[in-house]
Amino acid sequence: MNEKIKTMLLNLFLMILSGFLANNLPISIYIFKINSPKILNSFDIAFYTTLFSILIEIINEIINKQRMKVKLSLIARQQENQKLIVRPDMVTSNIEVLIKINITGSTRKPYSKLVTKFPDYFTLQLSRGHSNFINIVENRIEIDLLKLTTTVQQKNVSFEREVEFNISLDSHNVGNSDYIKFDFDRFISNPLINFDSTGLTIEQKGQ
């Protein structure tokens, strides 16, 4: 679910819960000498909303310290950024793409794999042997984080891996644009693993 939608739903839930507690467990009547029930109720809602926001922030801080953070980015090696421009004279040529994986935080068991799929008009091939944790089947790339982190024995982890692979364009179509990004292969993944992915935009342009 989109993070923005999650935040909106959480805020809505907090407002409803705060309104319920303000009506059933009012506090302001014992603090303020005000005769207006509407004003007192507003104070109670604001109090409970603030209280829950602080509690959620504290809980999030505790959980974040227990999380393993995985950052993955796709980089066009020749152009050294997240945007690859493919021109007609590059058709069938091998174009180097780099996968950068950065893992920090508490060691966790990531049972889900990271996957991405290139359009059918691309051909993919690993430039080096990384068969222990990465696999390419047709146009689909799978990264097995469990295999990648299985040798880590420490409570906390901090390391970076780089994987190079080649892509070649079988046919050139000016105007085509694709955004390639990794994601978990399961809808539900380990909640103690924070994943951040930066994708690669591939644009096919003329001369």
Side-chain angles (χ1 to χ4, degrees), residues 86-95 121-123 166-172:
V86 182
R87 303 193 184 278
D89 59 353
M90 298 170 69
V91 174
T92 71
S93 299
N94 285 333
I95 304 168
Y121 42 81
F122 284 100
T123 299
N166 294 323
I167 65 171
S168 59
L169 186 62
D170 300 330
S171 61
H172 189 274

Side-chain angles (χ1 to χ4, degrees), residues 64-79:
N64 282 335
K65 288 181 179 179
Q66 303 301 316
R67 279 187 170 135
M68 183 171 78
K69 300 173 181 67
V70 179
K71 292 184 178 181
L72 190 149
S73 57
L74 282 166
I75 300 171
R77 174 68 94 179
Q78 187 177 6
Q79 299 171 17

Side-chain angles (χ1 to χ4, degrees), residues 89-141:
D89 59 353
M90 298 170 69
V91 174
T92 71
S93 299
N94 285 333
I95 304 168
E96 288 188 352
V97 177
L98 180 69
I99 304 174
K100 293 186 73 172
I101 309 168
N102 183 273
I103 300 178
T104 57
S106 298
T107 303
R108 297 293 168 193
K109 296 291 185 183
Y111 294 107
S112 297
K113 293 180 181 179
L114 295 174
V115 297
T116 191
K117 192 176 188 307
F118 280 72
D120 293 336
Y121 42 81
F122 284 100
T123 299
L124 281 62
Q125 184 180 11
L126 281 172
S127 56
R128 298 180 194 168
H130 294 279
S131 57
N132 59 329
F133 68 87
I134 187 168
N135 189 34
I136 294 180
V137 180
E138 295 181 351
N139 284 41
R140 177 183 167 97
I141 303 178

